[in-house]
Amino acid sequence: MDDELAGRVAIVTGVASGIGAASASLLEQAGAHVIVADLNAAAAGTAGRFVRHDVASEDSWKALLADVLAREGRLDIMVNNAGISGGAGTVETTTVENWQRVQSVDSEGVFLGCKYAIEGMKKTGPGKAASQGSIVNIASVAGLIGTGGPIAYTAAKGAVRLLSKSVALYCAEKKYGIRCNSVHPGGVDTAIFNPLWQMVGREQGKAVIGAHHPIGRMAESEELGHVVLWLASDRSSFVTGAEIVADGALTSGLMRRALRGPS
Ligand code: NAI
């Protein structure tokens, strides 16, 4: 796999830690030139070239795309990974400000990421080369099934699922040579859980969340990074408009566990 992505240029957002950092590192190992884009300067040095970037700002997207096209000259892979949890608020407790903040990062940020990815890929023409352009949007199992809370996060991730299908269909009909898919992880041990780890301790928290997954554990970031790598590469060349669920059978097991009752 060493040079599988040689000559390809990839942008990965949200790379200071977790799934984004693991994805950027694996894409780089596969030969891609990676631009790591994050609000947090701690992302500098994880892999590739760091650019400070706010996915919720359209001006920031315009600047990022212009910078990448000027310096790298092309764009082949976009991984829209940056996200925030926004807390566990319900329909009764979530403020409009919190709702809007979560939508702006988790939903609108992905919409903008797709919009500017297509603009960049069309200009540099990955579809005309042997390779295809690939957009990978990180959603969540929360985009597949309802939760009482966090309502803002659940709604945003549900939007990512269907906007990804809309982008996939549009690009296919336009014959752009650009694929778009969503990834739906279950629990992954990343910094997104830091507030919970601070309350209950990391090992204890991991055990409790892991037990909710039929596979018996949470995922590590690299396991999701490999899903991203596969979707980014031509190995998934006929996969577009798909929702790739990587959740240790969490969503598969819901009915079985409901019928079995609490253990
Ligand atoms: P993380 O907290 O380790 O990483 C999130 C990254 O996004 C950080 O580097 C942060 O600086 C960056 N970020 C936040 N807001 C940003 C903004 N406005 N602009 C640019 N960068 C920004 O979280 P994790 O877990 O790696 O999450 C990655 C994605 O995976 C998120 O979209 C998350 O919702 C999703 N996800 C995570 C799951 C988990 O269990 N960890 C489960 C399902 C989905």
Side-chain angles (χ1 to χ4, degrees):
M1 138 180 137
D2 277 0
D3 282 333
E4 190 173 5
L5 298 181
R8 314 263 179 109
V9 173
I11 296 175
V12 185
T13 68
V15 280
S17 64
I19 298 168
S23 301
S25 168
L26 285 167
L27 289 171
E28 193 171 64
Q29 284 169 41
H33 179 88
V34 183
I35 291 92
V36 292
D38 202 297
L39 266 181
N40 185 346
T46 49
R49 178 167 80 81
F50 173 70
V51 177
R52 189 183 291 276
H53 174 54
D54 179 1
V55 298
S57 157
E58 185 166 18
D59 285 346
S60 186
W61 275 109
K62 286 180 180 166
L64 175 64
L65 184 66
D67 176 67
V68 169
L69 293 186
R71 292 188 57 166
E72 277 82 18
R74 60 183 293 126
L75 178 62
D76 303 88
I77 297 161
M78 171 68 76
V79 183
N80 289 306
N81 165 78
I84 54 173
S85 79
T90 68
V91 62
E92 290 197 289
T93 62
T94 298
T95 62
V96 171
E97 291 74 23
N98 181 261
W99 170 271
Q100 289 173 341
R101 176 72 193 139
V102 174
Q103 305 316 311
S104 72
V105 176
D106 291 359
S107 171
E108 198 168 301
V110 176
F111 157 70
L112 290 169
C114 293
K115 186 179 177 71
Y116 286 95
I118 292 168
E119 186 177 318
M121 290 174 185
K122 270 175 67 184
K123 275 190 185 144
T124 53
K128 296 184 195 88
S131 67
Q132 304 172 335
S134 176
I135 302 172
V136 184
N137 295 332
I138 309 300
S140 167
V141 287
L144 300 172
I145 53 172
T147 59
I151 189 170
Y153 183 81
T154 305
K157 294 299 187 179
V160 171
R161 172 175 173 263
L162 283 181
L163 82 80
S164 300
K165 290 182 191 296
S166 297
V167 168
L169 185 59
Y170 176 80
C171 289
E173 288 175 347
K174 289 278 185 184
K175 307 287 183 280
Y176 282 165
I178 299 171
R179 298 181 293 112
C180 180
N181 295 286
S182 59
V183 178
H184 300 260
V188 189
D189 178 18
T190 72
I192 214 167
F193 284 104
N194 281 348
L196 184 63
W197 298 166
Q198 274 156 21
M199 280 192 287
V200 300
R202 181 158 177 244
E203 290 315 312
Q204 170 77 5
K206 275 184 78 170
V208 170
I209 295 174
H212 285 290
H213 295 67
I215 204 169
R217 63 174 177 85
M218 295 181 76
E220 300 300 330
S221 295
E222 289 68 25
E223 295 180 277
L224 273 299
H226 280 286
V227 176
V228 170
L229 175 60
W230 176 70
L231 286 172
S233 78
D234 293 345
R235 290 177 192 228
S236 57
S237 54
F238 203 59
V239 181
T240 189
E243 47 196 71
I244 306 298
V245 182
D247 72 346
L250 178 68
T251 48
S252 314
L254 289 178
M255 179 62 83
R256 180 163 166 264
R257 273 174 285 147
L259 293 173
R260 193 173 54 198
S263 49

